[in-house]
Amino acid sequence: MIVARGVHKHYGAIHAVDGVDLDVRAGELFGLIGHNGAGKSTMFKMMLGLIPVTAGEIRIDGAMVAGHGGANGDFRAVRRKIGYLPENVVLYDNLTGLETLQFFARLKGVSQADNHALLERVGLTHAARRRVREYSKGMRQRLGFAQALLGKPRILFLDEPTTGLDPEAIRGFYAILRRLKGEGVTMVITSHILAEIQERVDRLAIMAAGKVQACGTVQALREQMDLPLWFSVRVAPEDFEAVRAALGHLPVGAIEAHDDHIAVQCRREAKMAVIAALATLDGKVRDLGVHEPSLEDVFFGFSD
Amino acid sequence: MEFAQIATVAGKEFWDRIRNRWVLAVALVFTAFALSIAYFGAAQQGTVGFRSIEVTIASLVSLVIYLIPLIALVLGFDAIVGERERGSLDLLLSMPITRVELLLGKYLGLAGALAFSTVAGFGLVGLVLSAQLDLAALFHYFGFMLSSVLLGCAFLSLAVMLSVFAADRTRASGLAIAMWFFFVLIFDLLLLGALVVSGGQWGGEVMPYLLLLNPADVFRILNIFALEDVRTLYGLATVFPPALARSDLLGLVMAAWIALPLVIAAWRFRK
């Protein structure tokens, strides 16, 4: 669906994007994460055809949107397939919510018939005739999202889409994304809130210093990074030593005693052995939790 | 090029100015100034009331030459840089619209608002005066209104060009003010200075052509040459050859002043 090959973007001596290859498959929710200045926003803008590439090419549905000689094919047809929600979306304060959608629908050349339904979808029906200047940050973000959904796009670019949304709105937002995914919409999303996207994206790319440092499913990246797991073993304090003894012969890392549990670090390959050893403790283990490394751990592992 | 896209952007820009009462405010300013000049222009000489269309137009030209360039520059200086600085430009450009279409849409919408307020403001005065004007006088007044619109469009074109080149709104506003000073206040002084310093030896022959390098001067010549009494009054006929002072030719020069900055802006904006 979206293919980037050998993409470079140089601003003088600064290499904002430095030889990026990416494949975003049709119908997947793809995450693009990185520190500020990692190059993801530049990559986003090149994928949207907003800025030219220095070298390489980007294709959407086979049509080149950035590359040598600029965009080719029918760029309007490609743009009509795309919805874009920029980071900190800025809309026109003097227009109402409904007028905002009418303006962008006209620009996009799509029907106005869905405008009310879109406002309802993002929970803004009550504010349809209020000026955007009276909207809260979260309402603006939701209106921006409705704008991105105009014309039933096949590809959505969402740059920090949940900025300014309250927890309930965030949940609602991802519920919409799930439905869109069910409809086969391809989505590329960036977020600084890694915990928020780690369970939601199909695959992601971690960018640092203008390069893709890693790309794959969250689980594949965890395994690739080979980060240790953490067991949380709930036992009575008098049984702490028994746990230490049971695990003593296994290749485990740190064992930390807390008030009501012991935290045990171990490598992925020792996971089953640790479980088996704890099972020998004959009822002393009251509860057991296995904690995979978070996306944040994976991110820092690849980006630092 | 898709005209629907241009019309969408132009329509938004135009209605924005209608809704925020910019058009109304500017039209009222024009009406108030034009009426004051028409009826009280000769108050210093002890007479009050409408005298002649020639004197009224000559006085209005002196006013408009300051006012319209300023209004046009203020209107257009942030057309593009404002969108860029607010962060709305990327969203606009992610739509199925080319940069040139966006630029033209912005320009045409703003030009429409400026033209509408100019015609409404001066047109109202024309209506008030119509009972006292014959057909020839009305024709001259119409010509004055049309050339005022062209003057506004020329400076708006320069403002939009600035808004493409400027890195931020602050610089764009500074450049717009500098441009107003240069074309409205300094340009003629420089030409006169060069004439005086060289004792009339340098620049005399090229002076008429140099005047065409300033849209404000083109506007002045367009209006002054149309009225015989005023032409004599200004003494411009001695500097400006009548062969060059044809309204169609000057109209073309003004059209070039509208088109050229837009072409440069489009070239820069596409890069």
Side-chain angles (χ1 to χ4, degrees):
Chain A
M1 181 58 96
I2 305 171
V3 179
R5 287 287 172 269
V7 174
H8 291 258
K9 182 66 187 178
H10 301 168
Y11 294 103
I14 298 167
H15 292 199
V17 171
D18 197 8
V20 165
D21 292 317
L22 268 184
D23 287 88
V24 179
R25 299 166 193 153
E28 78 175 342
L29 176 49
F30 188 88
L32 195 58
I33 61 174
H35 294 294
N36 289 336
K40 58 185 194 306
S41 288
T42 307
M43 197 61 209
F44 232 67
K45 287 184 179 180
M46 288 190 290
M47 287 196 278
L48 284 161
L50 298 177
I51 53 173
V53 298
T54 306
E57 66 172 45
I58 300 173
R59 290 178 181 273
I60 292 182
D61 245 1
M64 190 154 76
V65 293
H68 184 66
N72 68 6
D74 186 354
F75 95 100
R76 291 184 212 275
V78 174
R79 292 273 173 92
R80 286 191 176 106
K81 289 181 197 169
I82 290 175
Y84 173 43
L85 174 61
E87 184 181 3
N88 298 320
V89 62
V90 177
L91 301 165
Y92 298 104
D93 280 356
N94 58 328
L95 300 184
T96 65
L98 186 59
E99 287 167 346
T100 300
L101 292 194
Q102 286 168 344
F103 171 65
F104 283 106
R106 270 197 294 274
L107 263 189
K108 220 167 176 180
V110 299
S111 163
Q112 306 275 350
D114 294 337
N115 292 350
H116 286 284
L118 282 174
L119 286 171
E120 191 181 342
R121 196 168 194 180
V122 298
L124 285 176
T125 302
H126 67 287
R129 297 190 188 281
R130 271 163 56 189
R131 298 271 172 103
V132 171
R133 74 165 65 95
E134 297 164 24
Y135 279 27
S136 68
K137 190 167 170 22
M139 290 167 78
R140 286 166 194 247
Q141 196 71 5
R142 282 187 278 159
L143 181 60
F145 186 41
Q147 167 281 133
L149 296 178
L150 279 167
K152 297 187 174 66
R154 303 310 302 154
I155 305 160
L156 271 176
F157 288 93
L158 308 165
D159 199 358
E160 303 287 345
T162 55
T163 306
L165 297 186
D166 58 41
E168 193 184 337
I170 291 173
R171 184 185 290 186
F173 169 77
Y174 281 109
I176 295 174
L177 290 202
R178 269 199 304 278
R179 280 200 293 278
L180 291 169
K181 193 170 147 47
E183 293 164 17
V185 176
T186 307
M187 290 170 274
V188 184
I189 185 170
T190 71
S191 180
H192 282 118
I193 310 165
L194 303 183
E196 191 180 292
I197 64 166
Q198 70 174 359
E199 302 303 331
R200 287 162 169 142
V201 294
D202 295 313
R203 293 189 309 132
L204 59 89
I206 297 173
M207 285 194 75
K211 295 175 192 291
V212 171
Q213 303 294 337
C215 183
T217 62
V218 175
Q219 187 59 26
L221 295 185
R222 279 178 184 137
E223 289 169 14
Q224 194 181 332
M225 195 70 228
D226 199 21
L227 291 170
L229 310 169
W230 280 93
F231 280 88
S232 171
V233 188
R234 262 194 86 197
V235 288
E238 60 269 24
D239 294 328
F240 279 11
E241 281 313 309
V243 173
R244 283 183 197 277
L247 301 176
H249 64 288
L250 295 173
V252 294
I255 299 179
E256 296 169 3
H258 297 273
D259 288 345
D260 62 344
H261 74 279
I262 289 183
V264 181
Q265 190 190 48
C266 83
R267 306 209 70 79
R268 186 171 299 277
E269 55 271 23
K271 179 178 168 183
M272 296 314 293
V274 169
I275 292 171
L278 293 172
T280 64
L281 288 175
D282 203 22
K284 289 191 172 97
V285 177
R286 295 173 186 168
D287 199 4
L288 182 66
V290 185
H291 305 288
E292 290 279 355
S294 67
L295 180 55
E296 197 171 273
D297 298 327
V298 174
F299 172 68
F300 283 117
F302 278 109
S303 61
D304 287 343
Chain B
M1 195 170 294
E2 279 194 6
F3 291 101
Q5 305 297 73
I6 297 172
T8 299
V9 177
K12 180 188 172 296
E13 291 299 324
F14 181 79
W15 284 111
D16 279 355
R17 268 73 197 178
I18 295 280
R19 282 162 59 139
N20 67 15
R21 297 186 180 85
W22 184 94
V23 168
L24 179 68
V26 172
L28 285 177
V29 166
F30 287 150
T31 304
F33 273 106
L35 273 179
S36 307
I37 283 172
Y39 284 99
F40 306 115
Q44 283 178 328
Q45 286 89 48
T47 53
V48 168
F50 179 68
R51 290 174 297 164
S52 72
I53 195 65
E54 283 84 2
V55 176
T56 302
I57 288 180
S59 304
L60 281 175
V61 165
S62 305
L63 161 80
V64 159
I65 221 160
Y66 287 94
L67 201 56
I68 285 189
L70 188 63
I71 289 171
L73 287 166
V74 168
L75 180 64
F77 83 91
D78 76 339
I80 298 297
V81 75
E83 296 276 2
R84 189 183 291 139
E85 202 166 290
R86 282 189 293 274
S88 48
L89 188 61
D90 280 352
L91 181 56
L92 279 175
L93 291 175
S94 74
M95 298 285 140
I97 185 170
T98 65
R99 287 173 179 252
V100 174
E101 287 164 358
L102 177 63
L103 188 81
L104 276 178
K106 284 257 172 199
Y107 176 79
L108 290 175
L110 295 174
L114 184 58
F116 187 74
S117 53
T118 307
V119 171
F122 290 129
L124 191 64
V125 178
L127 277 178
V128 172
L129 296 178
S130 59
Q132 302 167 65
L133 299 179
D134 59 16
L135 205 58
L138 275 173
F139 177 76
H140 284 310
Y141 192 75
F142 178 78
F144 158 75
M145 283 203 302
L146 183 65
S147 61
S148 297
V149 169
L150 289 177
L151 177 69
C153 289
F155 273 91
L156 184 65
S157 184
L158 287 165
V160 169
M161 183 183 75
L162 277 185
S163 82
V164 169
F165 278 88
D168 53 59
R169 288 182 77 235
T170 311
R171 278 177 230 203
S173 63
L175 284 170
I177 292 168
M179 193 172 265
W180 183 81
F181 268 98
F182 177 75
F183 282 120
V184 175
L185 299 176
I186 296 173
F187 186 86
D188 289 358
L189 283 178
L190 284 177
L191 290 190
L192 274 174
L195 268 179
V196 171
V197 166
S198 65
Q201 296 300 305
W202 182 87
E205 284 180 9
V206 289
M207 175 72 90
Y209 299 95
L210 291 175
L211 287 174
L212 300 182
L213 296 177
N214 183 351
D217 282 328
V218 178
F219 167 78
R220 199 194 318 262
I221 296 159
L222 250 173
N223 280 284
I224 285 167
F225 260 86
L227 301 162
E228 198 162 333
D229 291 353
V230 182
R231 197 186 320 161
T232 317
L233 186 74
Y234 270 71
L236 208 69
T238 55
V239 221
F240 208 82
L244 203 59
R246 286 166 34 210
S247 55
D248 54 345
L249 196 67
L250 291 171
L252 274 178
V253 174
M254 205 59 126
W257 267 109
I258 294 169
L260 196 63
L262 277 182
V263 169
I264 295 170
W267 164 77
R268 182 70 180 87
F269 194 40
R270 285 179 67 176
K271 283 182 80 178

